[in-house]
Amino acid sequence: MAAMATSATVAGLGAAPLSRPSRKLVLSSGFIRSQAPGKNPLSQKLASGGRFTCFERNWLRRDFNVIGFGLIGWIAPSSIPAINGNSLTGLFFDSIGKELAHFPTGPALSSPFWLWMITWHLGLFLALTFGQIGFQGRKENYF
């Protein structure tokens, strides 16, 4: 049995024995790049002075029009008296005044100030975010 195992060759894929060096099998696909050696993207001279960056230098694209229109675009609808005859902005500013009345101590956790503050700022940040998306999208001709 041992003599039989030593004299037989073990064949791998393609019926080539494992003991002999086999030719490299080259497969090509539309999903894989060619086997040509590529350049190192870190060593190329780039527009940012030779440094490799993942984002543009001005990735935020800060524009004061977005801040102005976004703030107006949030204050206007949040000032509509829709909550028992009061507006969200009015309730928030009123709760600020009530909390400042006892200034050295902060607002309690059960104070309605926290609800109005979180709701008002969440709406503001959503208005600013969607304003930035819309303004930059219009500028870059996405829509």
Side-chain angles (χ1 to χ4, degrees):
M1 181 84 99
M4 191 168 141
T6 57
S7 64
T9 59
V10 178
L13 294 175
L18 293 177
S19 59
R20 285 188 288 170
S22 62
R23 287 189 309 153
K24 183 177 179 183
L25 182 62
V26 179
L27 300 175
S28 64
S29 170
F31 296 108
I32 301 174
R33 294 184 191 170
S34 67
Q35 296 294 330
K39 294 182 180 179
N40 185 357
L42 297 175
S43 67
Q44 293 179 357
K45 295 293 180 192
L46 301 173
S48 61
R51 293 185 308 257
F52 179 77
T53 58
C54 295
F55 297 103
E56 295 178 21
R57 193 81 170 144
N58 184 20
W59 64 270
L60 182 61
R61 297 180 189 153
R62 183 177 61 203
D63 192 352
F64 293 114
N65 289 328
V66 174
I67 296 171
F69 288 128
L71 187 62
I72 292 169
W74 173 241
I75 289 178
S78 68
S79 297
I80 297 171
I83 306 170
N84 295 329
N86 295 322
S87 68
L88 179 61
T89 302
L91 288 169
F92 177 48
F93 290 164
D94 185 47
S95 68
I96 291 173
K98 288 178 184 175
E99 295 302 327
L100 284 176
H102 54 84
F103 169 63
T105 58
L109 289 177
S110 60
S111 173
F113 165 77
W114 297 111
L115 173 67
W116 304 134
M117 184 194 72
I118 290 171
T119 307
W120 196 87
H121 281 92
L122 183 67
L124 174 66
F125 296 149
L126 284 173
L128 290 173
T129 301
F130 288 138
Q132 178 77 341
I133 291 169
F135 192 84
Q136 295 301 328
R138 177 72 63 140
K139 195 160 121 181
E140 304 260 341
N141 292 325
Y142 283 117
F143 38 85

